[in-house]
Amino acid sequence: MLQNSLQLVFLTLIFASCSSSESISDDLLAEINNENYFPLENSNYWVYEVDSEKSGIDSLWVEKDTLIEGEIHYHISANSSKTGFITNLLTNSLLHKSKNKLILNGVITDLIPGIEIPVENLVLLDPKNPVGNTMHTSIGTSSTEKEGYIIEVAHTITTKTEALIEDYSLFGEDYSNVIKTSMVVNLSGVVTTTVNGFEVTVSILKPKDVIISTQYFAPGIGIINNETNVDYQLTNIEQLSIPLEMPTKISEITSQHIANSSKISE
């Protein structure tokens, strides 16, 4: 049922996109570079309708700013019933801009209990990045210990500019010069423990693109649409008898689209 409803959503997205940077005129590039694709000012807000296993309404707003190493970083707050992937990502992070790039520092949580995946200087959007090019790649590991079991997760996070959509329609609203980006989170995991005095390491997750998320940025608004697929299956959990409650399998598609937002200040 959820997949059918999402298919209907996708059918409403009528657009023409540029497949490469060569197809974008200099005038259009100049126009894009002058646009603010994610207004970051205190009290700016966004309201999203979320379609997932737990559908609902997510509200986000810029709560405050802070100066870090000479750059203003913004903290995003949200209502307590957060259901969208982007909602949870933004509210666990700080955002700032550097040379038109939208950069995020924070964590991805709630995938594997006890594991926080660090997101460091992740470029969410770069209007100058050519279509088809990678914006950012980061690699790292995270671990947690529970009663003699060490769970270690390796991650690779990649963001990419997917398309420039000159005319984009979403639920009856028309937008111009929308930038489509993607974020892919690849994970692998092992558990290390001691058995009869010997250290044993067992794979619980082979390398897999666990999160595939697509964002649509509109000038003067920010993210107007997000489609995220989270999918993984852990192995050898029952055999190891790990004393940690965790889902062994997750397969979920979440879509959130803009319902209302504040306008960028003139």
Side-chain angles (χ1 to χ4, degrees), residues 29-30 34 40 44 56 72 104 107 114 121 127 139 141-142 153 174 179 185 192 196-197 200 212-213 219 222 255:
L29 281 174
N34 288 329
L40 284 174
N44 278 4
I72 300 176
L104 180 146
V107 293
N121 294 318
I139 299 173
T141 58
S142 306
V153 174
D174 295 325
I179 298 178
V185 181
T192 301
N196 297 325
V200 178
I212 301 176
S213 185
S255 175

Side-chain angles (χ1 to χ4, degrees), residues 143-175:
S143 63
T144 186
E145 190 272 337
K146 181 70 173 180
E147 298 182 22
Y149 292 86
I150 300 174
I151 303 173
E152 185 175 58
V153 174
H155 69 264
T156 300
I157 306 175
T158 305
T159 59
K160 182 179 179 181
T161 302
E162 296 289 348
L164 167 64
I165 307 169
E166 295 188 60
D167 299 296
Y168 184 84
S169 180
L170 178 68
F171 292 97
E173 294 291 333
D174 295 325
Y175 303 89

Side-chain angles (χ1 to χ4, degrees), residues 56-151:
I57 300 294
D58 282 357
S59 298
L60 297 87
W61 60 92
V62 181
E63 181 181 7
K64 60 183 179 180
D65 59 59
T66 184
L67 193 64
I68 301 176
E69 296 182 353
E71 293 186 315
I72 300 176
H73 290 64
Y74 295 86
H75 175 75
I76 309 295
S77 291
N79 58 321
S80 57
S81 57
K82 297 178 292 186
T83 53
F85 171 75
I86 283 296
T87 303
N88 282 279
L89 179 62
L90 293 181
T91 54
N92 282 317
S93 309
L94 286 174
L95 288 172
H96 74 280
K97 292 181 180 179
S98 177
K99 297 180 181 179
N100 279 355
K101 295 180 182 179
L102 179 66
I103 299 173
L104 180 146
N105 284 276
V107 293
I108 297 174
T109 61
D110 300 328
L111 280 177
I112 299 175
I115 295 291
E116 290 189 343
I117 301 169
V119 180
E120 299 176 347
N121 294 318
L122 184 74
V123 181
L124 280 180
L125 177 69
D126 180 1
K128 295 183 179 181
N129 189 61
V131 171
N133 282 20
T134 296
M135 292 185 292
H136 179 89
T137 299
S138 60
I139 299 173
T141 58
S142 306
S143 63
T144 186
E145 190 272 337
K146 181 70 173 180
E147 298 182 22
Y149 292 86
I150 300 174
I151 303 173

